[in-house]
Amino acid sequence: MSMLNNALSGLNAANIALTVSGQNVANAAVEGYSRQQAQFKTSNVYLGGVEVASVDRVVDAFLNDDIWRTNSDTNFYENKQSYLGFIEQIIGTDSLNLNNSLASLTNALNAATTKPDSQAFRQQFLSSVEGLMQDFAQINGALAGQETKLNAQMSNVALSVSSITKQIAEINSSIGVATANNQSTAEQKDNRERLVNQLSGHIGVSIVERDNGFIDISTSSGAPLVVGSKAASISVSGTTVTSEFIGQKFTLDKNVGGQFGGLISVDNDVIKPTLATLNSLVSDLADDMNGALQSGFDLNNDPGEALFTYNPLNPLGTIEINPAITSDKLGFKDSSTSGPGDNSNIANIVTSMAGKGDKFTLLVGELAITSKQNLSSISTATSLSENAIAARDSFSGVNLDEEAASLMHFQQMYSANAKVISTADQMFKSLLQMF
Amino acid sequence: MRVSSHQLHLNSIKNIQINTENFNEKSTQLATNKRILKPSDDPLGTVMIMNLGSEIKSLEQYKTNMDAVNFSLGQQEVQLTGIVNQIYSLQSLLTTAADDSMGEAEIKALGQEMSVAFPAIVDLLNATDSDGKYYFSGSKTDEQPFQIDATGNYVYTGDDIVREVAVSDDSSVKNNIVGDDLDPGAGFLNAMQDYLVDVNNPPAGGVGNQSRVMIDKLADFLGTISSQVTTIGSTMASLDSITTSNQDITTFTVNLQDDLSAVDYPEAFISMKESMAAYESSMQVYSTVSKLSLFSYI
């Protein structure tokens, strides 16, 4: 009898192994699927054949950690770049090059030195100032649009993070139950890994796996996201990100990594400094030119009128041409007693504009360098992330040739065991024929 | 290394994408003739191109300024040359009047001729440009520079402000001649006006002495006018040489900017061809490798 049972256990084992191979082949193209392997072991019963000890997922937790870490990095730099690249293009575009507009102003002033009494030259100067105002308005509009977009994206990511942490907490509970009941958890664990993978794109995570099958997740700075079956929720106000876990609140900075980190960093390191530079450029230009014009005298021998007005709280957004100014009121003269042909103050106005264009060029240069560095960080992070995925796929992914070989191998095992049964059958028949 | 089937598939697709991206970048460069498609492609180059761009703009403006100054000084020179011609004809009339043997009728006839030449000089000193602005009144371009005041004397009503016009980053030229430099204190005009009164109503002793004094004053006037013509001439000559160097610098700067911003066509074309070849071969590899499977042999 033992020979039949023996062979039967072999048949069953081969059957399970073939099913596992079939499962692997079927899921070969599923992202994040970890291949499974039937583990055979010799039966504890004397000559009791073989038994399937377990069907294991072929997984290495360290390889997964690598994927999640590099995924956070890639998302950090890529999300930063999506804004940085846009701002760099806007500020650096030829048609919005403030240097050109400022040069038009200087040129109009230089032209007016030849005939300071000519309305045509004075008017040309005012028109070139209008051109500059349009550039300011367009740059301001583009940057304000980015802030709005940034805020909307952060709110979306916050919703997504909150929903993922909730799902992971739920899977944690059900894995806990399945583990306690000694049921298979492979599919649930694959699902949970896929969710952690998504989460790591949004925010940098650090994972601790517990014996009962639970995983605890915290941000890289230590704020809890999932503890057992409890999840944190994330909220965004303006560009401040707060996580809340059972009443405890944590403010997240750019060091949280992932998409959130990238977005926080773009706000703190790119949009705000760019606005600050442009604001100081605008207020300096307005103050200095106003000062120069007001220290001169206009065609009516009155002190020159200010050219610009702006709100000091938001110079770039509010600067406009002083409604009171007309071509007559430009203080091109140096004295209230000289005639309209006096151009002596124009040189002072030109001097007051000196260096403003350089500030802008410097800004473009800084943005370009930041963007270039970030692009190279992207390519480093991307290749590290690809390596991590490749390492995991090499270990956990399905190789169809290997599965084909396994299929043949277990088919042979099946046939061999069947042969053993038929041999046992023949032996039994031979025995019966004796009677 | 163990390679999963899914990984093999993804890798091949990634290679194809990388090559498409390279190909796209090179073909955009070729199509636009721009080496730098966005500032981060070459931050330093971008900054240099921007600086060179502003420099070219100001060089162009300096050129325009020089043209304007050249034109304006040319116009003023024409007026002054006109004055010189009138001075010459006055000179010969005065020389004739200085002859003591002249009779009253002859002196009066000379006086009539002088009365035509003199206002012509006044007109030229009060000349205006096409906008009706006075050339020689300093900054007070709306005010006629030489006027007759309540006492019947000529006075200079302009000022001595000279317009400096920038023609390069650190040099400027004078754009106007001031009336006070042409006839200081309107001395010549008043002397000539007084003299004309005498000539038109000659005293018994004739105008010989007065004419000789007047000849000296006319010679002084000619001297001041000529020296201003010379000033204009030398300013225009220096403008010519500044124009030449301005053009040289402009050409050089434009070339430099082109070198920085333009595509090196042969290089870009060859690397475009390279990425095309790589593109084709990675597709070839994929289609060959994807046919291999142990399942085909079972």
Side-chain angles (χ1 to χ4, degrees), chain B residues 1-297:
Chain B
M1 182 178 119
R2 190 178 174 277
V3 177
S4 76
S5 306
H6 189 49
Q7 198 182 349
L8 186 72
H9 172 76
L10 289 180
N11 272 346
S12 304
I13 296 208
K14 192 186 82 194
N15 287 337
I16 292 174
Q17 272 168 348
I18 289 173
N19 288 316
T20 324
E21 195 186 319
N22 280 343
F23 174 73
N24 185 41
E25 190 196 332
K26 295 295 169 200
S27 60
T28 312
Q29 281 188 344
L30 285 172
T32 55
N33 190 21
K34 278 188 176 165
R35 185 177 64 87
I36 301 175
L37 298 174
K38 54 184 192 310
S40 52
D41 289 343
D42 181 359
L44 190 63
T46 306
V47 168
M48 280 174 76
I49 289 171
M50 285 175 79
N51 284 336
L52 292 174
S54 325
E55 207 169 302
I56 292 170
K57 278 212 155 203
S58 13
L59 286 168
E60 281 166 358
Q61 182 56 45
Y62 289 139
K63 179 77 181 55
T64 316
N65 278 3
M66 284 189 268
D67 290 346
V69 171
N70 220 20
F71 178 76
S72 166
L73 286 180
Q75 295 284 310
Q76 294 174 51
E77 191 183 25
V78 169
Q79 314 300 332
L80 297 185
T81 315
I83 294 178
V84 169
N85 289 337
Q86 294 300 331
I87 291 175
Y88 287 149
S89 61
L90 271 182
Q91 216 166 23
S92 71
L93 292 170
L94 281 170
T95 316
T96 316
D99 186 346
D100 285 337
S101 64
M102 286 282 174
E104 189 185 334
E106 287 165 310
I107 292 173
K108 276 190 171 172
L110 284 171
Q112 274 180 348
E113 272 194 65
M114 290 185 212
S115 303
V116 175
F118 177 63
I121 290 180
V122 178
D123 276 357
L124 288 167
L125 285 174
N126 287 334
T128 59
D129 66 12
S130 52
D131 292 339
K133 308 286 185 190
Y134 293 95
Y135 282 122
F136 302 121
S137 54
S139 76
K140 303 192 169 177
T141 50
D142 286 338
E143 206 156 325
Q144 186 174 319
F146 292 97
Q147 295 181 19
I148 295 172
D149 67 5
T151 61
N153 287 322
Y154 278 101
V155 283
Y156 176 64
T157 54
D159 54 28
D160 57 358
I161 292 178
V162 176
R163 281 184 290 284
E164 296 277 349
V165 173
V167 290
S168 75
D169 280 344
D170 39 27
S171 67
S172 58
V173 293
K174 294 177 168 40
N175 187 32
N176 60 319
I177 301 289
V178 187
D180 212 30
D181 287 342
L182 293 171
D183 185 17
F188 167 77
L189 290 183
N190 284 321
M192 190 67 200
Q193 181 174 244
D194 294 346
Y195 171 76
L196 281 178
V197 174
D198 282 348
V199 177
N200 286 323
N201 296 292
V207 290
N209 285 333
Q210 292 93 323
S211 299
R212 278 185 284 278
V213 173
M214 198 59 221
I215 285 174
D216 286 346
K217 288 191 171 161
L218 186 67
D220 289 348
F221 184 51
L222 178 62
T224 54
I225 299 285
S226 307
S227 79
Q228 294 305 322
V229 173
T230 314
T231 308
I232 291 179
S234 63
T235 307
M236 285 169 83
S238 70
L239 275 183
D240 280 347
S241 83
I242 299 174
T243 306
T244 314
S245 64
N246 174 294
Q247 276 166 349
D248 287 350
I249 298 170
T250 308
T251 313
F252 177 75
T253 315
V254 169
N255 282 342
L256 197 60
Q257 198 189 27
D258 277 356
D259 282 350
L260 284 169
S261 66
V263 170
D264 182 348
Y265 268 93
E267 191 199 310
F269 190 72
I270 288 171
S271 56
M272 185 188 79
K273 280 281 182 196
E274 272 175 0
S275 38
M276 252 179 97
Y279 180 29
E280 277 174 355
S281 49
S282 45
M283 290 200 293
Q284 192 73 46
V285 166
Y286 182 51
S287 83
T288 313
V289 170
S290 64
K291 280 180 201 142
L292 293 174
S293 170
L294 186 52
F295 281 101
S296 324
Y297 299 91

